[in-house]
Amino acid sequence: MPKKDQTLDFQELFSAIDELEREYKIEKDYVYSVLESALLTAYKQVKGIKDKNLSNVKVSINPEEGNVKIYEYKKVVENVKDRRNEISLEDAQKIDKRYKIGDTVTIEVPISQFSRKAAMTVRQTVIGKIRERKRNIIFEDYSSKIDNIVTGVIQRIDKKNVIVEIEGGRVEAILPMEEQIPGEEYKPGTMMKFYLVDVKIPPKEKEPIVYLSRTHPNLVKRLMENEVPEIQDGIIEIKAIAREAGSRSKVAVYSNSLKVDPVGACIGEKGIRIQNVLKHLNGEKIDIVKWSSDIGEFIKNALSPAEVVHIDLNLIEKKAFVLVPNSQLSLAIGKGGQNARLAAKLTGWKIDIKGK
């Protein structure tokens, strides 16, 4: 391998290291230590050295000049007994006439003379270690973002999965078919909010896989937290969410302050806060209801906008028998039973609704 090409390779490597540090925060010192270790391994291959002791060999890495060098350090002696660590006075003075017994001679080992196999060992070791480090950084980074919202841009559809570019292209994530909102379009180039469900490193994959959701109830929860400062401050709590993604959600909220109306605070003046949530949900409707520790009261609130006339509770079976005006029976049940179904899911009770 010509020395010129080898130098160019190192220059390209240093440029790549700069980019890796910017994009993935892979520390330069880590990459340099990997490179040093790989070069010493290759040196041992070239020299036929089997033991681990290389105390007289050093690797010099100079990113500013774009070069990497290997040096041997040998002690000048009269009679050489250890060729790896010693050099005769005669040979030393061929390098520099000023050397004398007891001096240490620095000898550069030309990397350009490494065999193709040794050079390949360096390349594969460095690339492998960088990939491993990158994989671990991505995994740790996105593992810390599980149960939170990320913004992504739709890239393509692959076997019914939607491939999403998140974090400005650092990672491609997957929106599985079962986490997609029925009827929602995923056109390439569209920016959306997603709920980060999980991060995994499958055995045969080089990169971690980030899994997203558009249907998870916590997508609604996190969107509301972003829009309602009182939730962020702990004044208002989201107690429960029931969701039929793409159609309707019910959210039960509670205020820890008598001065703050939880429903009004979540809706916002002229509905601005809830509208800011809804714009990320592609037409899905949200009912904000007041949570209560009184289960009867909570069930009444959960069935809104219908008005409940009377309610009987079976505490053992967790079943509620609800009476509503005949004129509001269809409203209480909802289209396709949705209102009653969501109210039951929100409260955790079976609800039997009849008209009066």
Side-chain angles (χ1 to χ4, degrees):
M1 185 183 296
K3 190 171 183 179
K4 183 178 181 182
D5 291 344
Q6 184 69 41
T7 303
L8 287 173
D9 284 345
F10 284 126
Q11 288 175 338
E12 290 171 7
L13 175 62
F14 289 130
S15 296
I17 290 171
D18 289 338
E19 188 175 339
L20 286 166
E21 186 179 47
R22 285 194 303 271
E23 285 196 32
Y24 299 99
K25 296 181 174 61
I26 298 178
E27 308 88 342
K28 290 181 181 179
D29 287 346
Y30 170 79
V31 183
Y32 295 155
S33 68
V34 168
L35 177 58
E36 179 180 356
S37 177
L39 285 167
L40 290 174
T41 299
Y43 169 87
K44 287 167 69 175
Q45 278 185 10
V46 172
K47 298 290 185 177
I49 299 171
K50 294 183 179 180
D51 64 70
K52 296 181 180 180
N53 183 18
L54 288 177
S55 57
N56 71 314
V57 181
K58 303 295 180 186
V59 176
S60 171
I61 299 174
N62 192 328
E64 288 74 21
E65 295 183 8
N67 61 48
V68 178
K69 295 181 179 180
I70 298 177
Y71 295 102
E72 294 175 333
Y73 296 90
K74 296 188 176 185
K75 187 176 181 180
V76 180
V77 296
E78 285 187 11
N79 298 311
V80 176
K81 296 179 181 178
D82 180 359
R83 291 190 176 278
R84 277 180 52 193
N85 295 286
E86 298 173 344
I87 186 172
S88 69
L89 179 61
E90 180 183 353
D91 287 340
Q93 289 182 340
K94 288 177 183 177
I95 299 170
D96 189 326
K97 292 182 179 180
R98 291 173 294 181
Y99 280 124
K100 57 184 183 297
I101 299 296
D103 286 347
T104 299
V105 177
T106 303
I107 303 171
E108 182 179 351
V109 179
I111 295 176
S112 59
Q113 293 180 7
F114 277 19
S115 66
R116 184 178 296 274
K117 182 180 178 181
M120 188 62 69
T121 298
V122 173
R123 181 183 296 275
Q124 289 177 344
T125 302
V126 173
I127 290 173
K129 289 291 185 180
I130 288 175
R131 279 178 178 166
E132 182 182 344
R133 185 70 166 174
K134 177 183 170 184
R135 182 171 63 240
N136 291 338
I137 286 174
I138 292 173
F139 180 78
E140 291 168 7
D141 187 12
Y142 285 93
S143 291
S144 70
K145 295 177 182 178
I146 289 174
D147 192 35
N148 282 292
I149 286 177
V150 293
T151 301
V153 177
I154 307 298
Q155 294 300 298
R156 63 189 183 279
I157 308 297
D158 183 9
K159 298 177 182 178
K160 297 184 179 181
N161 294 323
V162 179
I163 308 302
V164 183
E165 184 184 87
I166 57 177
E167 302 287 316
R170 279 188 69 199
V171 173
E172 280 193 342
I174 292 178
L175 179 66
M177 185 174 67
E178 61 272 19
E179 298 293 342
Q180 299 167 24
I181 294 176
E184 187 170 62
E185 289 189 72
Y186 300 104
K187 294 181 179 179
T190 305
M191 183 177 289
M192 287 184 172
K193 298 285 187 183
F194 300 89
Y195 177 74
L196 204 158
V197 179
D198 202 1
V199 184
K200 295 180 180 178
I201 305 181
K204 294 183 180 180
E205 295 291 334
K206 294 179 181 178
E207 302 287 349
I209 298 178
V210 178
Y211 292 94
L212 306 175
S213 175
R214 286 280 294 165
T215 63
H216 201 288
N218 281 356
L219 176 61
V220 174
K221 182 179 181 180
R222 297 302 182 211
L223 288 170
M224 288 185 62
E225 287 173 348
N226 288 343
E227 289 297 330
V228 183
E230 291 86 348
I231 296 177
Q232 298 173 23
D233 295 339
I235 298 171
I236 293 174
E237 296 179 43
I238 296 176
K239 289 289 192 178
I241 298 177
R243 188 181 184 205
E244 293 186 358
S247 178
R248 195 177 206 95
S249 291
K250 284 183 180 284
V251 182
V253 294
Y254 173 78
S255 177
N256 290 305
S257 171
L258 296 174
K259 297 179 181 180
V260 179
D261 170 27
V263 176
C266 290
I267 293 173
E269 188 176 354
K270 297 182 180 180
I272 187 65
R273 288 179 174 177
I274 199 64
Q275 288 301 320
N276 285 338
V277 172
L278 293 175
K279 72 181 181 182
H280 295 295
L281 297 175
N282 200 23
E284 184 173 323
K285 295 178 175 60
I286 297 180
D287 297 333
I288 308 293
V289 302
K290 189 174 181 179
W291 179 86
S292 175
S293 57
D294 181 331
I295 189 60
E297 187 67 23
F298 185 23
I299 290 172
K300 287 180 182 180
N301 295 341
L303 285 168
S304 66
E307 179 186 343
V308 174
V309 175
H310 181 74
I311 184 168
D312 286 323
L313 301 174
N314 183 329
L315 299 177
I316 296 175
E317 296 182 8
K318 290 187 72 174
K319 189 171 184 179
F321 300 91
V322 176
L323 288 179
V324 299
N326 282 323
S327 60
Q328 294 199 22
L329 182 59
S330 61
L331 183 64
I333 295 173
K335 186 177 179 180
Q338 186 183 64
N339 195 59
R341 191 165 58 247
L342 285 173
K345 190 182 293 186
L346 189 72
T347 60
W349 279 60
K350 297 176 183 177
I351 300 176
D352 185 5
I353 304 173
K354 297 193 179 298
K356 180 180 180 182

